Amino acid sequence: MELRGKHLIAGRTAAEASTTFQAAAAATGEALEPPYHEATPGEVDRALRAAESSFDALRGSPPEVRADLLDRIADQIVAQGDVLLERAHLETGLPLARLTAERGRAVNQVRLFAGLIREGSWVEARIDRGQPERQPLPKPDVRRMLIPLGPIVVFGASNFPLAIGVVGTDTVCALAAGCPVVVKGHPAHPGTSEMLGTAVHTALEATGLPLGSFSLLHGAGHDLGQALVRHPATRAVAFTGSLRGGRALYDAAAARPDPIPVYAEMGSTNPVFLLPGALEQRAEQIAEGYVGSVTLGAGQFCTNPGIVLGLEAPGLRRFLEAAGKLASATSPATMLHAGIHRTFETGLERVAETSGVRTIGRSAAGPPAGTCRAASAVFATDFQTIEAQPHLKEELFGPSSIIVQCRELSEMVRYAEALEGQLTASLHGTEEDLHTHERLVRVLERKVGRLVFNGFPTGIEVCAAMHHGGPYPATTDPHFTSIGTASIHRFVRPVCYQGFPDAAVPPELRNRNARHIWRLVDEQFTREDV
Ligand code: NAP
């Protein structure tokens, strides 16, 4: 497929601005063709006006038509074949095997949402029938369900070009709910974004849904993102990236005359707690899983286990020795873009030079100069040092992690109590350990979105029960997940109809349950007619 370096606005290409930017090959730094035009304020306005005027037709379309759209998007992604993977590999440096797996995840999640809206119960229909004869006051007939919010602005993430990018969960669940989408493609992989945007456009054309339901804009500066968030037609924003970026967009949304929600997923240090029983039984095995998780995808996961805490004992010493050896045996890996690489290298040196921190393992071969290749590193320190040096508790996005040797359990609990919001925390232990350290589990429940037992947090299952979120600063709203089918709740809101005639409410709330969905009728779940 020929890349054109243009925006896709409601089915048409656009390129008003003369200013352009180019992606760079992650592995070599070489500039990649074609140049991409920066979106202008006029193009932002056109994309969002088209989204706004498509909204009623999209939300009014039968769920079957939107499910068909999603299936066609999945088919289009698959049909792009190796060309899509090769461009993504060139732009991001992610290995082809990883990208192949990520495409599988992206396609499966599109189909998962198609299934969700075909089944239909996600609208959470609730019906409380009226009781005109009730004393002392009659009970009104009250019915409620979830409806879509309107145009959603999506910021594609740099680290998942296929599964959290132009057709990632954010775009897919917004379209599934009936919300038009305007995506700002990540500037580090505009070619991949253009290919995925074309897949959505082709699928939209085939279903006859309004083409304004989807636009893709390119830009390599903060102005575009700010303009998208401030535009009056935007109803919500989904973002995956840095705390600084997510917070800036959140503040911009809050400063609007009509503040709108920003669902920003900004990462965390994902602490891992090693309990004594587990260390005694399988220190080496845990070390293997840990180093694998730290270095997976060059550590560029928001779920990377950045901090590990264990109690001083022979088991912890075996763990340290094994983790150090394994980390030293890893090879340097290419990072996503020069900015991420620079931040990682600077942060890594700062940790390595901190007094009280020891490097226990680091990739043997030094990374060649002038590329985005980074060495992995595992450090060790003690509780007093990490308490005294707050920068050690910050996320360092990349293949590195710090092991904290605690003298007593109370130090682990104190660390947990002082934690900022996290996406995950993991515990390695026996069932008896869990019982003995129940206090730690109770503290962690208040701090994180997902607790993992005897596993590592990388590798997020895309399913109905998944919660990928957590208290600030992991995200800007702890109620919502950005992965799994529950993520659709970010782009909908409840509306309640009181006293309406049956024919005037949406089909999901009528007496006859034509779609055979699960509904809460007079406080009982049922699929029967009313
Ligand atoms: P980023 O710098 O947060 O950028 C993500 C997107 O947000 C880009 O499109 C960027 O546009 C835009 N943006 C950033 N700051 C903005 C602002 N103040 N106003 C408007 N738009 C803004 O993320 P990144 O490039 O992917 O990587 C940088 C860092 O983000 C990493 O080092 C890592 O710490 C973190 N990260 C976290 C995750 C995660 O899963 N939570 C994933 C990837 C990266 P422009 O570049 O055009 O400004």
XYZ file of all heavy atoms in Angstrom, residues 130 154 235 500:
33
model
N -43.950 1.002 37.004
C -44.729 1.919 37.830
C -45.803 1.188 38.630
O -46.268 0.123 38.233
N -8.905 10.137 20.491
C -8.028 9.040 20.930
C -6.575 9.393 20.597
O -6.274 9.791 19.469
C -8.423 7.725 20.213
C -7.377 6.639 20.448
C -9.801 7.253 20.666
N -16.249 15.062 23.270
C -17.026 14.697 24.476
C -16.205 13.906 25.484
O -16.572 13.824 26.661
C -18.269 13.873 24.089
C -19.334 14.596 23.302
C -20.038 15.682 24.127
N -19.428 16.987 23.941
C -19.348 17.932 24.882
N -19.803 17.718 26.090
N -18.801 19.092 24.627
N -42.471 7.389 30.392
C -42.594 7.392 28.929
C -43.476 6.241 28.444
O -43.458 5.154 29.019
C -41.198 7.252 28.288
C -40.559 8.559 27.949
C -40.303 9.484 28.941
C -40.220 8.872 26.640
C -39.704 10.702 28.637
C -39.622 10.078 26.319
C -39.365 11.002 27.314
